Amino acid sequence: MSETVDPRRDPARPLRVAPVPGGHPYLEAVRPDGVRHVVADAAGCSVWLDPRYLTSSAADVDVLHVLAGHLPLTGPAVDAWTTAVRRTGVPLVVTVLDLVGPDGPDAGPARSRHRAHLRALLATAEVVFTLTPGAADEIADRYGRTAIVVAHPSLAEPTLDVGRETRLVGLHLGRFEAGPAGAAALVRGALSGAVSGGGRLRVDVHPEADLGAGPPGLAELAAAGELDLRRSWPVDPSSSVKQLQELHVCVLPPETGCTHSGWVELCRDAGTRAVVPGGGHHAGQWSDVVAYGCDPQTGPDAASLHSAVVAALTRPAPGRADRGRRAEQRAAVRQVYAQVYAQVAADRTAV
């Protein structure tokens, strides 16, 4: 027996979209006016990813919108979930931000899981979005799906009273997700590039990060005054932009996004040049980026990063993004999503 629920809805009621993951800055930025997000998270994980919850609550939403790459599921679990999506008839919209998955010598299983997620999601989605033409070409070649290309909208406005320190290079290592070797290569390349470019390096780590898990000698370099070591963790896009405004150049570690990155958009809004891992489509998001070598297996290349930082520092700093143009861009992106949400919801109703 089919478990598809009655999809009819009152046209006066706001369209209900279940975002996965709930509260993600991108999904919040593209949410059209008049669309209500139905967030159901527990312990940091969306319960919409539970096939039983989805089946029992399918009548409570009109559309599922998933960011590919943010599913904490095994391969069999994502297959079970997409089966439930098809069975309930809730239309699925997928936005592909990352086509690569995790980097590093131990990331093989996670990368395989990422590809399995993409295969299952893109085989089930009613509509697929991505951010750049290059990524859309990859999606067509690998998965046989046509993706609608929409620009990544602005995530936050800069703070007017925050100024930039000329030739200050920033590197945020978080909790050392890149691993000791990867973090060491990032620090080595960024530090030598900053010095050669006539600047200095600021390294930020998460307030709870264990320095012992990071690159050897990081604390000693800070103690010797060779770099500025801080503990910080921006809690939202606005605080991230404020921190980026202080920098001339920001080095993005691979884990911030191998194909696209919200940090590139934050750098554009702040007027801070981004130095990004090569191999992705960051330049399709914003032309004013500089790429460094980053092998999926061995991680960042320190010599390449050195050259990229020097190149970034010796160019004039970019201006902050035109707020009027960014507002128009975000409105256009929201309009595209509004049209797609309305169409797939109407198709469900017509079944």
Side-chain angles (χ1 to χ4, degrees):
M1 176 183 293
S2 173
E3 298 181 41
T4 303
V5 299
D6 183 350
R8 289 174 296 181
R9 72 180 189 90
D10 179 358
R13 172 176 53 74
L15 199 69
R16 302 163 302 173
V17 174
V20 179
H24 191 280
Y26 177 85
L27 292 174
E28 292 296 328
V30 303
R31 180 171 61 88
D33 293 338
V35 167
R36 182 167 68 88
H37 274 179
V38 183
V39 178
D41 289 4
C45 179
S46 175
V47 296
W48 288 112
L49 295 176
D50 181 342
R52 292 172 297 180
Y53 183 88
L54 174 62
T55 299
S56 65
S57 305
D60 297 335
V61 292
D62 302 303
V63 180
L64 290 163
H65 187 175
V66 172
L67 287 187
H70 288 79
L71 301 185
L73 302 175
T74 64
V78 79
D79 289 337
W81 183 75
T82 52
T83 297
V85 172
R86 292 190 293 270
R87 186 170 58 241
T88 60
V90 181
L92 174 64
V93 173
V94 172
T95 299
V96 180
L97 299 184
D98 186 13
L99 282 161
V100 179
D103 274 336
D106 301 321
R111 291 169 71 87
S112 296
R113 184 170 64 248
H114 183 78
R115 289 192 294 269
H117 284 177
L118 285 175
R119 283 194 297 271
L121 287 171
L122 299 187
T124 306
E126 298 286 339
V127 178
V128 178
F129 285 94
T130 193
L131 304 183
T132 56
D137 290 342
E138 284 196 46
I139 291 168
D141 291 343
R142 295 185 192 180
Y143 302 102
R145 292 298 307 265
T146 298
I148 299 172
V149 177
V150 292
H152 193 306
S154 175
L155 296 175
E157 295 191 15
T159 302
L160 297 179
D161 60 351
V162 176
R164 173 191 297 119
E165 179 181 329
T166 302
R167 299 189 183 277
L168 175 62
V169 178
L171 170 64
H172 208 304
L173 294 177
R175 291 187 174 90
F176 306 113
E177 288 85 355
L186 289 167
V187 171
R188 189 164 62 251
L191 178 58
S192 63
V195 173
S196 295
R200 68 186 189 94
L201 176 65
R202 187 175 83 191
V203 175
D204 288 87
V205 301
H206 194 281
E208 299 174 358
D210 177 10
L211 291 181
L218 178 61
E220 289 76 11
L221 287 170
E226 296 189 44
L227 57 81
D228 181 13
L229 180 61
R230 298 186 183 184
R231 290 186 177 271
S232 70
W233 186 253
V235 295
D236 55 32
S238 294
S239 58
S240 298
V241 164
K242 187 174 181 178
Q243 188 178 89
L244 288 169
Q245 285 180 246
E246 301 172 355
L247 307 175
H248 188 142
V249 170
C250 178
V251 176
L252 304 188
E255 62 270 14
T256 59
C258 293
T259 303
H260 305 111
S261 175
W263 280 95
V264 168
E265 303 300 328
L266 292 169
C267 286
R268 174 164 29 175
D269 288 326
T272 300
R273 178 160 290 110
V275 173
V276 302
H281 296 287
H282 302 96
Q285 287 182 252
W286 184 33
S287 60
D288 205 347
V289 299
V290 181
Y292 64 90
C294 187
D295 186 271
Q297 299 300 319
T298 60
D301 179 76
S304 175
L305 179 55
H306 166 99
S307 299
V309 170
V310 171
L313 282 175
T314 52
R315 298 181 190 177
R320 294 176 185 172
D322 182 284
R323 297 314 307 166
R325 185 168 298 176
R326 290 289 266 169
E328 292 174 358
Q329 181 187 63
R330 181 166 53 192
V333 170
R334 288 177 173 177
Q335 180 62 28
V336 173
Y337 273 109
Q339 293 171 348
V340 167
Y341 289 160
Q343 183 60 59
V344 298
D347 291 345
R348 179 190 185 193
T349 303
V351 173

